[in-house]
Amino acid sequence: MKPRIFDLNRREVLAGLGGAATGLLGGGATPVATTQLALQARPATLALRPDQTHSPIWELAAASHLGNVHLRRGVRCEVAFRNALPVPLAPVWYGLNGAGVSDPLRGRAPAAPDATEISIISIPNAGTLVADFRLFEDRLKEPARPLPVIADETSRIAVDHDEVLLIEEWRVRPDGTALPPGRDPTDATPLYTLNGRTSFELSASAGERLRLRFINGSQRTVLAIKLGGHDVQVMALDGQPAEPFPARNGALVLAPGARADVFVDAAASAALMLHDGKEARSIGRLVVSGKPEGRTARPSPEPLPSNDLPEKLDLKGALRFDVALGTIEAGWTRTANFSTASDPAFRARTGRTVVLTLKNPAPIATVFHLHGHHFRLLDRLDDGWKPYWLDTLAIEPGQTERIAFAATSPGRWLIESVVTDWAAPRLVRWYAVE
């Protein structure tokens, strides 16, 4: 059985529409707004060579939007996914929680080539999200790009600009073509782009407050990003609001797939620097015009509105499971071989707190991703947690981390594990909330 995506059948769609109609007719249910989103998996090109000649890639794009995709928290979204690529694929959503969220374990199979599938998803939380088909990387003939998606808060956020900054990693061969991950990168050169460009500029006026939504769209490398000469306030991680805190030394460290929303008050032009663990390089520039004279200093930002995740987790009464990352012997498999007939990594009852002890036996860092829920990173003494939620975590070689989450979303959900090596395969398992 291949990886599958959640999709309501006709009966469920009609039942949902009937429930909405009941609310509109005064039957007691609250009506839910519905919006449409057309997505397409398609071939594309990107300028990855010094002479700006374009290289072939695959991408997930929004056929129904100009610019960034904006949805609103609380709406129901009808997604029309068109697969214009020669392999079966499905969009996988990163950052959304809840039983009504598209998940590759549930419903019908991925869309066949030249097919269009309609699905219904809910948008229960605001935040920086990603729609992506690269979970199916064993099928991909070309390197691929994900699609950033913004789920807007229901109230206005006091910023002057809201910008998505998608950082992507490529392995470029001598002939200028790019190599998909999971392949031997010998003779390929690492290259990074920001919003699809090897040279990127973001313009602002002095004193303006910027909301910068950083996405580490690379698939194998932990990246550090730094904007020189500015105070960087972290407001959200992996699509969930955090208690605002300053980035340490002004730098963000993001695992592959991780996201960070930060507020920056534009002061002066500065380079945006990236470090991939081997060398630092400039990947963009903030260009600030004018002078801040006459503008009063902005007050410290208020926390972003809550997405209603639980304030407390019952660690004493938690279910506890050990999960060794990234080994076939521990039940992990490549996505092409995945089957729900395999044993789950763990099972939990709805409403219970789950604590996972994640062990990385690999000699290099390994990245863990949890679908269906966000988690807290626990303190070493098991007496508390960090003041933010995550869905993605990089674990150092030979180290162990513990995470906790409230099992509020019934269903079968994926967990992912991949070591930070371009040639390494992406591995998956599943867990059940019943």
Side-chain angles (χ1 to χ4, degrees):
M1 179 177 177
K2 302 300 183 184
R4 303 170 75 84
I5 61 169
F6 173 81
D7 197 354
L8 299 178
N9 60 35
R10 184 178 298 275
R11 181 184 305 168
E12 291 168 318
V13 170
L14 291 176
L17 292 176
T22 300
L24 290 172
L25 295 173
T30 301
V32 177
T34 300
T35 188
Q36 284 77 40
L37 175 63
L39 300 180
Q40 187 175 44
R42 65 190 186 188
T45 61
L46 199 65
L48 298 177
R49 312 183 198 186
D51 62 1
Q52 296 300 299
T53 303
H54 283 63
S55 302
I57 63 167
W58 289 354
E59 69 176 6
L60 183 62
S64 56
H65 284 67
L66 295 175
N68 293 326
V69 176
H70 284 261
L71 304 174
R72 183 168 289 275
R73 180 187 181 188
V75 305
R76 175 182 295 165
C77 186
E78 179 184 286
V79 181
F81 172 66
R82 173 70 179 171
N83 184 9
L85 293 173
V87 297
L89 293 172
V92 180
W93 293 84
Y94 290 83
L96 287 182
N97 296 337
V101 173
S102 178
D103 184 87
L105 281 177
R106 306 178 63 185
R108 60 183 181 233
D114 297 321
T116 298
E117 299 283 354
I118 306 296
S119 61
I120 306 292
I121 66 171
S122 60
I123 311 296
N125 54 274
T128 302
L129 317 175
V130 175
D132 198 355
F133 58 69
R134 297 181 302 177
L135 175 69
F136 304 94
E137 66 179 31
D138 288 334
R139 305 175 181 177
L140 305 186
K141 306 297 191 298
E142 302 285 356
R145 305 188 69 198
L147 175 68
V149 176
I150 299 172
D152 289 314
E153 292 84 1
T154 55
S155 58
R156 184 183 179 278
I157 305 302
V159 294
D160 298 300
H161 295 283
D162 189 329
E163 301 286 344
V164 172
L165 298 175
L166 173 65
I167 301 168
E168 295 172 278
E169 174 187 25
W170 311 91
R171 290 291 189 273
V172 183
R173 302 182 182 100
D175 66 358
T177 60
L179 184 73
R183 278 77 161 178
D184 182 358
T186 300
D187 297 330
T189 302
L191 182 142
Y192 296 90
T193 58
L194 181 56
N195 288 357
R197 305 174 198 169
T198 55
S199 178
F200 178 86
E201 285 192 356
L202 175 63
S203 298
S205 297
E208 288 187 318
R209 176 160 288 179
L210 314 179
R211 180 176 185 170
L212 305 180
R213 301 173 184 258
F214 287 98
I215 301 173
N216 182 357
S218 71
Q219 298 186 76
R220 295 296 188 272
T221 302
V222 177
L223 299 176
I225 305 106
K226 183 171 184 176
L227 180 63
H230 289 79
D231 294 328
V232 177
Q233 288 288 318
V234 179
M235 304 298 295
L237 292 171
D238 291 350
Q240 292 294 338
E243 297 178 18
F245 64 92
R248 182 178 298 178
N249 298 321
L252 304 168
V253 179
L254 297 178
R259 292 88 66 205
D261 291 28
V262 304
F263 283 9
V264 172
D265 293 340
S269 297
L272 184 61
M273 302 298 296
L274 174 148
H275 203 296
D276 61 2
K278 297 179 181 178
E279 63 177 297
R281 66 192 79 195
S282 173
I283 59 164
R285 186 168 179 81
L286 173 64
V287 178
V288 178
S289 59
K291 297 181 179 180
E293 286 89 345
R295 301 191 65 159
T296 59
R298 304 290 280 268
S300 297
E302 295 293 324
L304 296 173
S306 170
N307 279 331
D308 299 324
L309 291 180
E311 294 184 6
K312 300 291 184 181
L313 294 172
D314 178 19
L315 297 183
K316 290 184 178 179
L319 299 172
R320 295 176 180 266
F321 304 97
D322 291 344
V323 179
L325 301 182
T327 63
I328 301 298
E329 296 78 10
W332 296 89
T333 185
R334 298 179 73 114
T335 55
N337 302 323
F338 175 78
S339 170
T340 50
S342 60
D343 292 332
F346 59 91
R347 295 181 182 272
R349 292 290 184 186
T350 304
R352 294 294 300 272
T353 296
V354 176
V355 172
L356 300 182
T357 299
L358 305 174
K359 301 178 181 180
N360 177 19
I364 60 175
T366 297
V367 179
F368 170 84
H369 179 83
L370 182 77
H371 287 258
H373 298 84
H374 279 75
F375 57 80
R376 296 282 200 184
L377 179 61
L378 298 183
D379 295 332
R380 294 292 183 181
L381 298 178
D382 202 12
D383 57 354
W385 47 74
K386 305 301 182 187
Y388 44 75
W389 294 91
L390 302 170
D391 60 22
T392 303
L393 182 66
I395 303 174
E396 293 299 313
Q399 296 299 303
T400 297
E401 298 284 0
R402 289 177 304 109
I403 64 173
F405 67 94
T408 56
S409 302
R412 295 175 173 179
W413 304 100
L414 278 184
I415 54 176
E416 299 181 37
S417 171
V418 62
V419 300
T420 53
D421 182 323
W422 191 262
R426 185 185 302 272
L427 302 176
V428 291
R429 295 188 70 183
W430 67 281
Y431 70 98
V433 177
E434 301 165 331

